[in-house]
Amino acid sequence: MSTVGGDRSATEAAGSLSGPGPVLPLDTEAVLAPASGDEPGDIGRGDAPKIEGRSPGQIAWARLRRDKIAVASAVVLVFFVLVAIFADLIVSAYGINKDQLFQDQLDSLGYPLGYLGGVGGDHWFGLEPQLGRDIFVQLVFGARTSLGIALAAALFSTIVGVIMGLVSGFLGGWVDSVISWITDLLLAFPFIIFSLAAIPIINTLITGSVQKQPSVESRIYVVVGVLVTFGWMSTSRLVRGQVLSLREREFVDAARAAGAGTRHIIFRQLLPNLWAPILVTFSLAVPQYVTTEAALSFLGIGVTEPVPDWGRMIFRSTSFVSADPAYAFFPGIALFLLVLAFNLFGDSLRDALDPRSAR
């Protein structure tokens, strides 16, 4: 009996019914042969890009560099920091001493001659009314005062807060209750009212007399001490909450099962997982201390003469704001830009360190 399709074989007939054509034999030599220009030993080592793992710090740094707000605020912060560090060189190049007075350039009422409070080529930001000091020089050295006190207070308060939070969260029990009670007690104090009462008393105890004024260094130490005393609680509460969550995690239980001691668990297991919130807290605490230090100097209980300070400059400018608004403008805008840059950078840093952030 003849098959469908005449002289075609059964294999060809099956191929025509099930596919487009006959099944061709497999050329095994062509498949196994290496590509042109490649050696047999190069198989699997082509030009494909290598996949490299990145640490959380590298990921955060990459996200920060892509954030335009973070870059702009970082540039402003670096500018202010460099001004504070090289204040002496800047003033030396400017050619005017911070204690130099220009009384001959004031009118009979004590106001600077010229426009905008004496702004010109010799005095870029004008002169202080009545005193005749150069405002630019005062601003440059005032940046050192404000940033120095704020950074010192933020550093020490962060250290105290981290220690208290670690101890409270890790040990728990009555230790946690005592530290939490102290934290609540200090948070209940109104800071400004307490500072108005405490700082003069502390200064009197240092000098031993109400008539004497402590040295500039002593006043700075007192201001930093008061800021640290009332500034560590927020960091402590943050660290305590994180430790309460982390101490029940599997990696901590594994470290305990392996015989690790308390020191190893705290410094090798807990702290590496806390550096991101601690860093963000520090970056956001600095602008708070900048404004607080300026407020204390504004009230007359912070840094006093002859140390330049932005808060005291703003306080003195309130008496001349109607006749010489430039005197209030320059320290005010400097304080505003510094605090704004710190806040924006702190927010960007928090977003960069948060793996759940969409930015």
Side-chain angles (χ1 to χ4, degrees), residues 281-355:
T281 302
F282 175 83
S283 64
L284 294 176
V286 175
Q288 298 177 5
Y289 289 124
V290 170
T291 55
T292 304
E293 185 276 330
L296 294 179
S297 298
F298 183 90
L299 296 174
I301 57 176
V303 180
T304 57
E305 296 284 1
V307 178
D309 185 84
W310 290 352
R312 194 177 63 253
M313 292 178 67
I314 296 175
F315 171 74
R316 292 196 70 252
S317 67
T318 56
S319 302
F320 314 100
V321 67
S322 59
D324 188 7
Y327 184 27
F329 172 78
F330 290 112
I333 196 64
L335 185 63
F336 169 76
L337 290 176
L338 179 61
V339 174
L340 179 63
F342 263 117
N343 285 328
L344 292 177
F345 185 78
D347 290 338
S348 299
L349 182 63
R350 178 184 56 198
D351 294 334
L353 294 174
D354 187 2

Side-chain angles (χ1 to χ4, degrees), residues 200-215:
I201 296 175
I202 297 174
N203 291 333
T204 302
L205 293 176
I206 293 175
T207 59
S209 174
V210 182
Q211 306 297 329
K212 297 181 180 180
Q213 292 293 330
S215 63

Side-chain angles (χ1 to χ4, degrees), residues 1-19:
M1 181 182 297
S2 61
T3 60
V4 179
D7 297 335
R8 290 185 302 172
S9 64
T11 303
E12 293 175 343
S16 63
L17 294 176
S18 60

Side-chain angles (χ1 to χ4, degrees), residues 97-109:
N97 191 283
K98 65 178 180 178
D99 298 323
Q100 190 173 352
L101 305 179
F102 297 90
Q103 296 285 338
D104 57 332
Q105 300 183 25
L106 305 179
D107 59 15
S108 59
L109 298 177

Side-chain angles (χ1 to χ4, degrees), residues 55-143:
S55 65
Q58 292 174 331
I59 297 175
W61 174 245
R63 300 180 73 177
L64 271 179
R65 288 187 300 176
R66 292 195 301 266
D67 192 342
K68 296 180 180 180
I69 297 179
V71 174
S73 57
V75 170
V76 176
L77 292 179
V78 170
F79 170 76
F80 278 108
V81 170
L82 292 177
V83 168
I85 294 175
F86 300 104
D88 295 305
L89 294 177
I90 294 174
V91 171
S92 177
Y94 186 62
I96 296 177
N97 191 283
K98 65 178 180 178
D99 298 323
Q100 190 173 352
L101 305 179
F102 297 90
Q103 296 285 338
D104 57 332
Q105 300 183 25
L106 305 179
D107 59 15
S108 59
L109 298 177
Y111 291 100
L113 300 173
Y115 298 99
L116 298 176
V119 174
D122 296 331
H123 307 287
W124 294 351
F125 294 166
L127 299 174
E128 288 184 331
Q130 294 185 347
L131 295 178
R133 293 183 301 193
D134 189 272
I135 294 178
F136 175 79
V137 176
Q138 296 296 309
L139 279 177
V140 169
F141 281 104

